[in-house]
Amino acid sequence: MAGGEGIGRPPPGVAKERVEQYRGRLTPFVVMACLVAAVGGSIFGYDIGISGGVTSMDPFLEKFFPVVYRNKNFKSHNNYCKYDNQGLAAFTSSLYLAGLVASIAASPVTRIYGRRASIVCGGISFLVGATLNAAAQNLAMLLLGRLMLGVGIGFGDQAVPLYLSEMAPAHLRGGLNMMFQLATTLGIFSANMINYGTEKIKPWGWRLSLGLAAVPALLMTVGGAFLPETPNSLIEQGRYEAGRRVLERIRGTHEVDAEFQDIVDASELARAVEHPFRNIMQRRNRPQLVMAVCMPAFQILTGINAILFYAPVLFQSMGFGGNAALYSSVLTGAVLASSTFVSIATVDRWGRRALLIGGGIQMIICQVVVAIILGLKFGDDKQLSKEFSVTVVVVICLFVAAFGWSWGPLGWTVPSEIFPLETRSAGQSITVAVNLLFTFAIAQAFLSLLCAFKFGIFLFFAGWIIVMTIFVYFFLPETKGVPIEEMIFLWRKHWFWRRIMPPVEAQEDKNQMVQ
């Protein structure tokens, strides 16, 4: 291309900004499709909630982890170290290591066969894992079931946020995408309620808790089989007429020329890219790659998963009785689920940045307060008084609420909406893989960290929340209302990322080489 001809031209794939020409409304069809797809989030949430409750049940510990069972019931043992056992941690964390590998394998499936295929694969794998866990007779069978659950989560987490982002109208994408997080929080709450009931069913209540994971898995599998494929995926596969029909149906109008053309432009570039993971490393995709790594990593480094995984264990370590610990975890699950509605109602009005920064500040305060209370009033040989126990639960609930309307849903929403079509499935795989890698690391290390750091574990997570809040303030542009296929323009306007992005002319020349 001649030197002056490329200057000022828009990036390849999407010819120009057409957002003002977009037409359509929120149709019942798209709401139902998003609700069914979001059930995929409930399997992730159910496992997070169920694991902590099951690992605090005596019959389960006695059968699979007798050392932990003895430590738990040895009253003079260090309160912070009762559950410090790598085998027990592996029960929780093995799922996420399998999910990490599965999320990478899911990328070509999602790209070539569609988002719906990955959703169905995830549901089937989770169904198998739930069956194995419920019937487990030894530790090997238990861990095999956890690995199958991980495969299901890897496929589901890779496909569902993409599905939701591509089905939703641009001006409502944030709220509808959060159906995934809402389903996750409802899964956590349901698991906590089930644990509270099954704990009383001795000695097999834990089997019921693990086996009921098959319910959301079945819903995901059956629902996924009847979902329509997204217009973006159909057009990426070269099925233009089918893609336009679905687009008209979900927007409730025949006037979809602008949005359809954006998707077509993006798909032409997407099909020219043979190696999306190699392509995503190019300079022009640097901002999205940074967000795909940092957002899910920061989401886990808030410490939320440690609290949700081990809520009953954590509360028992602080001196709560078995029933009181499970009741407290039910309360935190209810708070998490209800707070997600705040984010759904405000994310497309207030924007992503305001919620992330506000939630971060609230979480920092809560973590510091809990650390101070435990540091002053709790130790190896003393228990919290009733008043301080109630205070700790209230402050942890405030922490969970802040996460529920900020980093919880937005840690998934932002990465799922920022990638161009040619790297979208690869980008989502990286997001899921990073999320599961850090989830695995925290799940495996938390009990040991709790034993080593004691109350300082809350200050450790507070420090990370300070880092991520500063990161959002300086480096995350506001994505509210920006069409998913026009997100490239956003990075070119940002004060920092426009320095990283290559000139448009250089980007076009690189794209010619790819083709």
Side-chain angles (χ1 to χ4, degrees), residues 475-495:
F475 299 113
L476 179 66
E478 182 54 65
T479 58
K480 177 186 71 173
V482 180
I484 194 169
E485 303 301 350
E486 296 187 0
M487 204 66 70
I488 184 68
F489 296 103
L490 193 65
W491 306 107
R492 293 190 173 279
K493 296 173 184 176
H494 188 266
W495 73 271

Side-chain angles (χ1 to χ4, degrees), residues 123-147:
I124 293 173
S125 298
F126 206 86
L127 198 59
V128 173
T131 304
L132 287 171
N133 273 178
Q137 298 300 315
N138 50 56
L139 186 58
M141 190 173 178
L142 189 70
L143 291 179
L144 178 59
R146 296 289 291 174
L147 293 175

Side-chain angles (χ1 to χ4, degrees), residues 296-348:
F298 286 153
Q299 184 191 55
I300 304 306
L301 288 171
T302 60
I304 186 66
N305 279 24
I307 290 175
L308 295 178
F309 284 149
Y310 299 114
V313 168
L314 191 62
F315 287 128
Q316 282 192 19
S317 295
M318 293 177 188
F320 290 67
N323 287 338
L326 287 171
Y327 181 77
S328 297
S329 67
V330 168
L331 181 60
T332 56
V335 169
L336 180 62
S338 58
S339 63
T340 306
F341 287 101
V342 176
S343 191
I344 292 174
T346 59
V347 66
D348 288 310

